[in-house]
Amino acid sequence: MSAKINLEKELKQRCTELERQVEYYKNIAQQTGQKRLREVEMLNSFISEQKKSEKALMDNEQRFRLIAQSTNDIFYEWDIESNKLQWLGNIDSTLGYKTGEIKHSFENWLRLIHPEDRHLLEDTFLLHKESTKPVEYSYRVRCKDGSIKYWNDNSSPIIDQEGKSKKWVGGISDITERKEAEEALIQAQRLGAIGELASGVAHYFNNSLQGILGNIELALLKDISPEVRDYLETVKKLSMEAASRISQLQRFSGKGKGQTDYKQLSLNEIIDDVVAHTRPLWKDESEKLGITIEIEKNYASKELKVDANAEDLRFVLYNLIKNSVQSMRNSGKLAFETGETETGVYVTVTDTGTGMDEKIRARFLQPFFTTKGFEQGKGLGMSTSYAIVKEHGGNINVKQTALGKGTSIEIILPYLKKKEKRPKDDFPGYKNSAKVLWVDDEEVIRDMGKALVKALGHSADVAASGEEALGLLLNNQYDLMITDVGMPNMSGWQLAEKIKGNYPEMKVAVVTGWGADVSKEEKEKYGVCYVLGKPIDMGQLEYIVEGI
């Protein structure tokens, strides 16, 4: 840009000098009335050189115009006095307008700027009149279709003989992709922080739910009235629902994983299946409200296979369809497109609903965020879907959205290697009385665990720490040790590692509020047979005790 400024300045100065010389020799010819050969030759020479300089100036202008058209950048010249803008580069098509639709003036330029950024341009207008130094700033512009682009504007002044800014020339670069990448990184960091917080909250809630659920099950074993039993069954049901919500939070945070028994699935068939099962949502319920939703499928010509958990994938697609349908207040279209990229396969779900503004777009993957009120949703559908897609090694993002224009969400799933399916334990069934050691640093859970084991017809001792458990193991023989993972001084994993190999007849189970997804290798490392996520119910406990 500085090279263009210097070259134009030099050419214009040369043209001005030539014009002065031409006028000088014209005056001589007029004053003397003589057609002296020398003056005529000099006049012709200067006129010829003037034309060459003017042509060079036009060629230079054309060259920079072609450069601007061959790149994504836009160059401009702004005359402060006349307030006229001259563009080099197709600003009209860049913003989705027809050629000539954008008038070249500062006022029309200002109308293109995002309303929240216009004050920057108004301040810059005053700065350009007073400053003689280069100016750089960034702002958002609105395209004709309502979408947003980010521009970086870098301009320099042309100084007149009095040292004042006469004109400004500048270059505009489209930095939309860079801005979106920065925002995606910030969003990922924000989601990561929320995930860590959610994981910690989930852990403590699970510990509390373990005590609540365990004591409810003990109470249900008593001789109680039908009315009280109904109350307790209701509380038990609500406790299990709360545990399910917490499990979703753990999946969002990455601390609790879902099913890992991935199978080769047809992506198109999964979509067809979910669309068929959600027919009451997008057809029956919508038509009751006078809304007709057309389903459109644009599948890849070849069959697309993915390694995935079918139920997880159905859950994600169900949430996308549900959100799309609820956003469509008028009749419209719900479209599904599948295809391949270099890294995997994709499915894009596009609706003609209300769309999202920038604030909603930034938060739609956060847990407990909902625009529909908690009567219609708890705000966990998309955050859990995000976690599921991440577990599959994929990505989910808003491909396109605009208020009143609808939303397009894309899911990309990589070509995954088929994972080894975990073998299920085949228990012969333990019919005799077993002796259990329950280790937990919380007294409420220790007492509850002991009572549950006794209710199943077995005996139990309890220990408040890993050290106390080691002492009991020296003097007693146990068939099963159940230990909490998170304990002070010695964790459940450390306890299991210390006793590994010393008690070959005893099975070890660890219980954790962080989620029960532990690899087979990690279980073998610590000599652990079972990993249970809190809260555990009597059915799970019975299954383990009778399986030793």
Side-chain angles (χ1 to χ4, degrees):
M1 179 55 65
S2 60
K4 177 180 183 293
I5 296 170
N6 294 333
L7 183 56
E8 285 186 352
K9 186 176 181 181
E10 182 180 339
L11 288 170
K12 287 180 179 179
Q13 288 176 347
R14 183 58 180 158
C15 285
T16 302
E17 176 64 23
L18 289 169
E19 287 175 1
R20 190 183 66 79
Q21 294 286 355
V22 169
E23 288 298 321
Y24 171 76
Y25 282 103
K26 279 183 178 179
N27 289 334
I28 290 177
Q30 290 173 356
Q31 290 172 5
T32 62
Q34 299 175 358
K35 301 292 183 180
R36 290 183 297 180
L37 181 61
R38 179 176 176 276
E39 280 75 9
V40 172
E41 288 178 349
M42 289 296 295
L43 180 60
N44 288 334
S45 174
F46 282 126
I47 290 174
S48 176
E49 189 174 349
Q50 180 185 11
K51 289 181 178 179
K52 289 180 181 179
S53 297
E54 289 174 347
K55 185 177 184 302
L57 184 61
M58 288 188 293
D59 289 345
N60 180 61
E61 183 81 10
Q62 180 66 15
R63 182 166 62 254
F64 277 97
R65 188 178 298 278
L66 291 173
I67 291 173
Q69 290 175 351
S70 63
T71 67
N72 292 326
D73 291 345
I74 297 170
F75 302 105
Y76 65 88
E77 182 178 271
W78 176 25
D79 189 314
I80 296 178
E81 293 182 2
S82 65
N83 201 25
K84 184 177 180 181
L85 280 172
Q86 182 180 2
W87 299 101
L88 295 173
N90 198 343
I91 184 175
D92 301 271
S93 63
T94 299
L95 298 179
Y97 291 88
K98 295 179 181 178
T99 302
E101 197 170 351
I102 300 176
K103 304 303 179 184
H104 290 196
S105 69
F106 183 81
E107 288 74 17
N108 284 292
W109 184 19
L110 196 61
R111 291 191 186 98
L112 300 173
I113 310 303
H114 193 286
E116 295 178 4
D117 293 346
R118 283 178 187 167
H119 69 279
L120 298 174
L121 273 295
E122 291 168 350
D123 295 342
T124 304
F125 179 76
L126 298 175
L127 180 63
H128 278 79
K129 283 193 170 184
E130 300 173 359
S131 177
T132 57
K133 296 180 180 179
V135 177
E136 181 179 5
Y137 49 100
S138 298
Y139 49 87
R140 291 167 291 175
V141 292
R142 293 190 299 185
C143 299
K144 190 173 183 178
D145 62 3
S147 59
I148 300 296
K149 286 184 180 291
Y150 289 85
W151 278 2
N152 184 71
D153 194 325
N154 197 328
S155 59
S156 299
I158 296 177
I159 309 300
D160 61 16
Q161 294 179 350
E162 298 178 358
K164 295 182 179 180
S165 300
K166 182 180 180 181
K167 293 182 179 180
W168 283 79
V169 291
I172 294 174
S173 299
D174 188 335
I175 57 171
T176 304
E177 289 187 3
R178 190 186 80 191
K179 279 289 186 180
E180 289 178 346
E182 291 173 355
E183 290 175 359
L185 178 60
I186 293 171
Q187 175 74 348
Q189 292 172 339
R190 184 182 295 119
L191 289 174
I194 293 173
E196 289 297 322
L197 176 62
S199 176
V201 171
H203 170 71
Y204 289 109
F205 264 98
N206 278 332
N207 280 337
S208 299
L209 282 173
Q210 180 64 76
I212 294 170
L213 186 61
N215 281 286
I216 290 172
E217 291 192 310
L218 288 172
L220 287 170
L221 296 175
K222 303 296 183 181
D223 185 15
I224 53 179
S225 68
E227 185 179 13
V228 173
R229 183 173 297 278
D230 287 342
Y231 290 148
L232 290 175
E233 289 288 358
T234 300
V235 175
K236 179 182 176 181
K237 179 182 177 182
L238 293 174
S239 298
M240 296 305 295
E241 287 182 1
S244 176
R245 297 293 182 191
I246 291 170
S247 176
Q248 291 181 10
L249 274 178
Q250 288 177 314
R251 295 192 73 174
F252 172 79
S253 68
K255 300 295 184 181
K257 305 293 184 182
Q259 300 294 325
T260 54
D261 52 338
Y262 295 161
K263 297 178 180 178
Q264 286 284 339
L265 303 172
S266 168
L267 181 59
N268 295 348
E269 288 180 4
I270 289 288
I271 296 171
D272 287 339
D273 183 49
V274 177
V275 170
H277 281 86
T278 55
R279 181 184 175 90
L281 185 65
W282 57 262
K283 182 172 175 59
D284 300 341
E285 293 182 17
S286 296
E287 289 182 352
K288 287 180 182 178
L289 301 173
I291 298 173
T292 300
I293 297 177
E294 177 188 351
I295 300 295
E296 181 180 286
K297 298 176 182 178
N298 300 308
Y299 292 165
S301 56
K302 61 179 290 188
E303 186 178 26
L304 301 178
K305 291 284 189 178
V306 292
D307 279 332
N309 177 272
E311 292 306 316
D312 282 350
L313 204 51
R314 288 190 182 97
F315 177 88
V316 174
L317 290 168
Y318 167 79
N319 276 285
L320 290 180
I321 292 173
K322 178 184 176 184
N323 286 346
S324 292
V325 170
Q326 291 178 343
S327 74
M328 297 170 71
R329 298 170 184 171
N330 300 303
S331 297
K333 184 184 295 183
L334 182 58
F336 300 85
E337 179 183 344
T338 61
E340 290 184 284
T341 67
E342 293 182 359
T343 57
V345 301
Y346 70 85
V347 53
T348 303
V349 181
T350 304
D351 63 60
T352 55
T354 55
M356 294 185 279
D357 60 22
E358 293 180 37
K359 292 181 180 179
I360 295 176
R361 181 175 183 170
R363 297 187 61 194
F364 91 110
L365 290 176
Q366 295 179 8
F368 300 116
F369 175 74
T370 176
T371 60
K372 298 169 287 191
F374 280 86
E375 294 80 9
Q376 294 190 51
K378 301 298 185 291
L380 285 172
M382 287 311 302
S383 60
T384 305
S385 297
Y386 168 82
I388 289 172
V389 173
K390 286 296 183 182
E391 287 170 15
H392 282 72
N395 191 33
I396 180 171
N397 63 84
V398 180
K399 188 175 181 181
Q400 189 174 3
T401 187
L403 287 175
K405 302 287 186 179
T407 299
S408 181
I409 295 181
E410 182 180 66
I411 298 172
I412 299 178
L413 296 172
Y415 301 111
L416 297 175
K417 293 181 180 179
K418 193 171 183 179
K419 296 189 177 182
E420 180 183 352
K421 189 174 181 180
R422 296 182 185 177
K424 293 184 178 179
D425 298 301
D426 185 16
F427 298 137
Y430 191 87
K431 300 302 181 183
N432 299 320
S433 177
K435 191 170 184 180
V436 179
L437 173 61
W438 196 298
V439 188
D440 200 296
D441 59 320
E442 293 192 27
E443 184 179 3
V444 172
I445 295 179
R446 288 198 306 272
D447 294 343
M448 175 219 65
K450 184 175 182 178
L452 285 174
V453 172
K454 287 186 175 181
L456 292 172
H458 307 286
S459 62
D461 290 335
V462 294
S465 65
E467 292 83 358
E468 186 178 345
L470 291 174
L472 288 171
L473 286 167
L474 289 175
N475 302 309
N476 298 275
Q477 185 174 350
Y478 297 98
D479 302 298
L480 172 67
M481 181 181 76
I482 300 175
T483 176
D484 186 29
V485 169
M487 297 186 295
N489 300 323
M490 185 186 299
S491 71
W493 292 116
Q494 291 171 325
L495 174 60
E497 190 174 27
K498 278 184 176 293
I499 65 174
K500 181 182 177 182
N502 295 331
Y503 306 93
E505 300 299 322
M506 183 180 71
K507 304 291 185 181
V508 177
V510 295
V511 183
T512 172
W514 296 105
D517 187 78
V518 177
S519 67
K520 180 180 178 181
E521 292 74 17
E522 194 169 8
K523 287 166 64 176
E524 290 177 350
K525 175 184 176 182
Y526 294 103
V528 170
C529 300
Y530 320 105
V531 179
L532 302 175
K534 291 181 180 179
I536 60 173
D537 58 28
M538 187 172 286
Q540 291 174 294
L541 183 60
E542 183 179 17
Y543 177 76
I544 291 175
V545 175
E546 294 188 356
I548 58 177

